[in-house]
Amino acid sequence: ALTGCNEKAAETAAPGRPVLVATVHYGAETPERNFVGTIRPRIETDIGFRVPGKVAKRLVEVGQTVDIGQPLATLDEVDLKLQAEQSEAEFRAATGVLAQANASEQRAKDLRAKGWTTDAQMDQSRAAADEARARFNRAERSVELTKNSLSYATLLADSRGVVTATLIDPGQVVASGQTAIRVARFAEKEAVVAIPETLVGRAKSGTATVTLWSDANKKYAAKLREIAPSADPATRTYLAKFSLPEADDKVSLGMTATLTLADAATERVAKLPLSALFSQGSNPSLYIVDDSGAVTLKPVIVKSYESNSVVISGGVNDGAKVVALGVQKLDPAQKVRVVSSLSF
């Protein structure tokens, strides 16, 4: 009876030697590094009036989208219109003086041709005509300048973008060139991150991708456009700007992004426990375990050795399960059963 119990127990027991296995995962030899950044416009323009005056209206608010030529704000035009009328009056007066001076010069030429006047009188008439023509040109340019000044009373957007700041209010007196509206252009967006000094070289030569926190499944190609020439004195990091040429409308200004830096030509390797390596005077090998419990000894290419691990660059497929402990006691002809898996 006892013998029968032992036979049943042997039948129910799982066959093969119990082993610990590790899964092969290939990855970049130099691990990728992630940095948190923000989406910013490449060009953010501070727009201001080209003439001084009192703000009459502000036509936009923060966050509003503007197109090329769209009015943003206006100044009080009373003084500018008076200057324009004054210039036009001076132009009309200069026109009359010029006509009279030209007529006097022509009469002087006719009289001089007949010998009825002197050279001094001829020179005086010519000088008066030249002065009248110069005053006419000055009055003409003054009219153009006052018309331009009147047109500058309306602040226009010079590109398509979004308003990020409004620094004026109706009734405020502004100076010429003072920042009134800040517009971020839609032409190109970029990710701004802080890079530690140890990774400045990788930022310049490696490949970069950007993912948004709002959509982590989509990656955008990034290219380094600018890096600060000196480190920040407080954080000791370098401010880097990566342009996003493929950014779509889902990439909004101010969004939080993750920048991933990787070496351009790094080799893909896998790290395994050092105890998984089998070698008896021949090439280093690993025991591969299949689903049926059979083991196969396969040679591998060792990239480097570390204190507790070995780095391989080929020989086994990604996702393969290898015996991690006790490889010296295994026989390729025997079956094994997996009792645990190691993460390495």
Side-chain angles (χ1 to χ4, degrees), residues 19-307:
V19 294
L20 298 177
V21 299
T23 305
V24 179
H25 293 295
Y26 284 97
E29 183 177 6
T30 303
E32 297 178 344
R33 293 292 301 270
N34 296 328
F35 303 94
V36 177
T38 55
I39 302 299
R40 301 293 301 169
R42 178 173 180 178
I43 300 176
E44 194 170 16
T45 307
D46 292 339
I47 305 177
F49 290 100
R50 299 173 66 174
V51 292
K54 181 180 179 181
V55 179
K57 296 179 182 179
R58 192 188 70 202
L59 305 176
V60 294
E61 300 292 339
V62 175
Q64 183 175 341
T65 301
V66 296
D67 293 324
I68 299 177
Q70 179 177 341
L72 305 178
T74 59
L75 294 177
D76 187 358
E77 300 179 352
V78 174
D79 293 341
L80 296 175
K81 287 182 178 179
L82 291 176
Q83 292 176 3
E85 293 175 358
Q86 180 182 0
S87 298
E88 291 177 356
E90 292 178 354
F91 176 74
R92 289 192 295 268
T95 302
V97 172
L98 178 60
Q100 183 178 1
N102 288 334
S104 298
E105 183 183 18
Q106 186 61 40
R107 286 195 298 269
K109 287 180 179 180
D110 295 338
L111 293 175
R112 186 68 186 88
K114 297 177 181 179
W116 294 348
T117 185
T118 62
D119 292 339
Q121 292 176 339
M122 179 64 196
D123 293 340
Q124 184 177 3
S125 299
R126 185 180 294 110
D130 291 340
E131 182 180 0
R133 281 190 287 269
R135 289 183 177 179
F136 174 82
N137 292 333
R138 184 175 62 184
E140 188 177 24
R141 298 296 181 270
S142 178
V143 170
E144 294 178 359
L145 289 174
T146 52
K147 287 182 178 180
N148 290 341
S149 298
L150 187 59
S151 66
Y152 296 155
T154 301
L155 186 62
L156 303 178
D158 56 356
S159 62
R160 184 175 180 269
V162 60
V163 178
T164 58
T166 55
L167 306 177
I168 59 170
D169 290 304
Q172 180 179 349
V173 177
V174 296
S176 176
Q178 178 180 339
T179 302
I181 307 292
R182 183 172 295 132
V183 176
R185 297 188 181 184
F186 283 152
E188 188 173 343
K189 302 168 186 176
E190 59 187 15
V192 180
V193 298
I195 303 294
E197 55 186 290
T198 56
L199 295 176
V200 171
R202 186 187 296 188
K204 295 179 179 180
S205 60
T207 59
T209 57
V210 170
T211 57
L212 301 176
W213 285 18
S214 60
D215 187 7
N217 296 324
K218 186 172 182 180
K219 292 185 177 181
Y220 298 90
K223 183 179 180 181
L224 180 65
R225 184 183 68 83
E226 177 186 325
I227 190 167
S230 60
D232 184 90
T235 62
R236 305 307 303 168
T237 57
Y238 291 80
L239 189 67
K241 299 179 181 179
F242 291 81
S243 60
L244 304 174
E246 300 176 359
D248 50 21
D249 294 337
K250 294 182 180 180
V251 183
S252 301
L253 301 179
M255 279 188 169
T256 305
T258 300
L259 178 79
T260 302
L261 283 179
D263 285 343
T266 184
E267 185 178 4
R268 294 184 63 81
V269 297
K271 182 181 292 187
L272 295 170
L274 190 59
S275 58
L277 199 64
F278 178 82
S279 178
Q280 290 184 345
S282 58
N283 294 331
S285 305
L286 296 173
Y287 275 108
I288 309 300
V289 182
D290 59 16
D291 295 336
S292 64
V295 293
T296 305
L297 192 62
K298 288 188 176 182
V300 293
I301 303 173
V302 177
K303 178 71 175 179
S304 62
Y305 293 96
E306 298 180 0
S307 58

Side-chain angles (χ1 to χ4, degrees), residues 2-12:
L2 294 176
T3 305
C5 291
N6 291 336
E7 291 178 356
K8 291 181 180 180
E11 291 176 358
T12 57

